[in-house]
Amino acid sequence: MARKKSEEESSEIEAVDLISLLSTPETTDSYEIELSVPEQDLDLIALGKEELREEAVKLAKAKTLLPNKEVRPIASQTLSSPTPLRPSSITPTQTISIAKPKVTSSKTINCLDALQGYENDSFEQIIKDISACQRCGLCKTRKNVVPGIGNTKAKLVLIGEAPGADEDIQGIPFVGKAGQHLDKIIAAAGFNKKDLYICNILKCRPPNNRDPNNDEMRVCTPFLQRQLALIKPKMIACLGNIACHYVIGPSMPGITRLRGQWFDSIFGIPTFAMYHPSYLIRSASREKGSPNWQMWQDIRALKAKYDESGK
Ligand code: URA
């Protein structure tokens, strides 16, 4: 007679089964390149991903250009409501200074100098400003800007790194294969996509889906700040190594160690680190302990926190 499963075992089995319903890993198109660079502590050679090692080396070099900052995860019980957004004295005609993550020796991450929008800001205005933006070279190669989509009063904002080819064509984030995978994950966890806001750090596609560089992320961040200032989310989920390192802190370990934990972020809003869906598409295994399995644990933890956090 079959042994009665403990609650924990049943929920793990359920998780693996549900995850196995998600799309079959595919590795044939641009998402190959678009893959967020995984953690440097992964043995990429063992995984047969030589090209990823090169990407990881590139990332490591880029990181040395960034200030070192010590940041610790925040205990999930201590998650507080986001730092109130300070009203801005900046008017749309003034130039907004480019926000840089502040460097301090403190153990806690500091917010950007001003997590603020413009006075009387609106999503329409932000989209207009993004469309007119020429702050970096990506304006020359973009087909469309990709500001963000979803509920402008969302409690939870999902932040990826940059639009890919499909997003560039449609002007909407996460509509390609990675996005479809993400849709399945969030739906499986019980989120209603209409309740969320989804966007990227960069609002324009880097050519050939290369990684965003730090200058591009810095000059684009004010748009994300303005979006967050209007939305006032209670929490952020950051997808992938690049977005997590930018938003949580450059001296953080790789995503395999960050994932599933809450951090303070440059925006002063509790931020949950998660794998990028592109990485999950690349990983075939749904076994216990695999990235897809870990993502399932993480998305459920996020959903539980989301449900706890009230309206
Ligand atoms: N990857 C991202 O980080 N963002 C998108 O919008 C699509 C793919």
Side-chain angles (χ1 to χ4, degrees):
M1 200 175 75
R3 187 169 58 93
K4 194 166 176 281
K5 292 182 187 77
S6 70
E7 212 178 300
E8 197 190 341
E9 278 176 307
S10 322
S11 93
E12 280 171 7
I13 286 163
E14 184 205 350
V16 174
D17 287 345
L18 252 172
I19 284 292
S20 70
L21 294 176
L22 302 175
S23 50
T24 325
E26 289 181 51
T27 53
T28 49
D29 68 359
S30 55
Y31 285 92
E32 281 270 293
I33 315 161
E34 194 182 3
L35 176 73
S36 273
V37 178
E39 53 294 330
Q40 281 147 274
D41 41 27
L42 251 190
D43 187 346
L44 301 171
I45 295 285
L47 288 173
K49 309 263 186 290
E50 182 61 43
E51 77 277 18
L52 292 181
R53 173 173 287 284
E54 282 164 26
E55 291 294 328
V57 170
K58 254 180 25 201
L59 178 71
K61 283 190 186 143
K63 276 187 186 176
T64 59
L65 301 175
L66 286 164
N68 228 20
K69 184 162 35 171
E70 207 179 338
V71 183
R72 283 186 311 187
I74 46 179
S76 56
Q77 304 90 309
T78 64
L79 274 184
S80 55
S81 23
T83 314
L85 300 165
R86 279 188 277 136
S88 165
S89 55
I90 302 174
T91 64
T93 49
Q94 289 176 294
T95 38
I96 189 163
S97 62
I98 292 160
K100 285 191 189 158
K102 253 192 191 168
V103 190
T104 73
S105 57
S106 119
K107 294 251 187 221
T108 52
I109 195 163
N110 281 284
C111 308
L112 290 166
D113 285 341
L115 175 47
Q116 58 189 11
Y118 296 139
E119 241 170 53
N120 304 319
D121 208 2
S122 66
F123 279 94
E124 292 71 26
Q125 188 59 51
I126 296 172
I127 292 168
K128 270 190 201 158
D129 293 347
I130 294 173
S131 304
C133 177
Q134 300 189 353
R135 289 177 195 166
C136 78
L138 300 184
C139 64
K140 296 193 187 117
T141 50
R142 72 184 174 213
K143 289 192 173 68
N144 286 294
V145 294
V146 185
I149 193 160
N151 189 325
T152 55
K153 301 210 178 334
K155 270 196 321 187
L156 168 63
V157 174
L158 302 185
I159 301 179
E161 62 193 48
D166 296 304
E167 291 76 19
D168 184 44
I169 290 167
Q170 296 192 39
I172 301 171
F174 285 103
V175 287
K177 286 212 172 91
Q180 289 157 22
H181 195 66
L182 179 65
D183 284 352
K184 290 176 187 172
I185 294 167
I186 59 181
F191 284 109
N192 187 341
K193 197 177 170 188
K194 289 195 192 115
D195 295 334
L196 310 177
Y197 193 83
I198 302 179
C199 60
N200 286 298
I201 294 172
L202 292 194
K203 308 306 183 192
C204 299
R205 179 195 181 202
N208 303 316
N209 298 332
R210 67 159 167 75
D211 293 342
N213 68 42
N214 289 316
D215 286 340
E216 289 159 353
M217 290 195 281
R218 266 198 288 272
V219 296
C220 216
T221 297
F223 295 125
L224 180 52
Q225 279 182 269
R226 288 169 62 190
Q227 289 172 310
L228 293 171
L230 290 177
I231 299 168
K232 300 183 177 59
K234 291 196 172 185
M235 58 190 82
I236 289 172
C238 214
L239 305 170
N241 208 35
I242 292 177
C244 286
H245 277 108
Y246 186 69
V247 164
I248 298 169
S251 64
M252 300 303 280
I255 188 71
T256 46
R257 299 208 359 235
L258 291 188
R259 57 144 280 272
Q261 297 190 70
W262 287 94
F263 297 88
D264 201 351
S265 70
I266 54 172
F267 301 114
I269 296 169
T271 297
F272 193 60
M274 297 173 87
Y275 285 133
H276 193 284
S278 299
Y279 176 51
L280 301 173
I281 291 172
R282 291 284 297 262
S283 169
S285 173
R286 268 68 170 141
E287 292 304 308
K288 185 174 178 183
S290 68
N292 277 289
W293 181 89
Q294 290 175 325
M295 181 65 159
W296 180 239
Q297 315 308 309
D298 295 348
I299 194 81
R300 287 191 307 171
L302 178 65
K303 179 65 166 56
K305 190 58 68 186
Y306 178 89
D307 289 342
E308 262 171 36
S309 71
K311 282 207 167 174

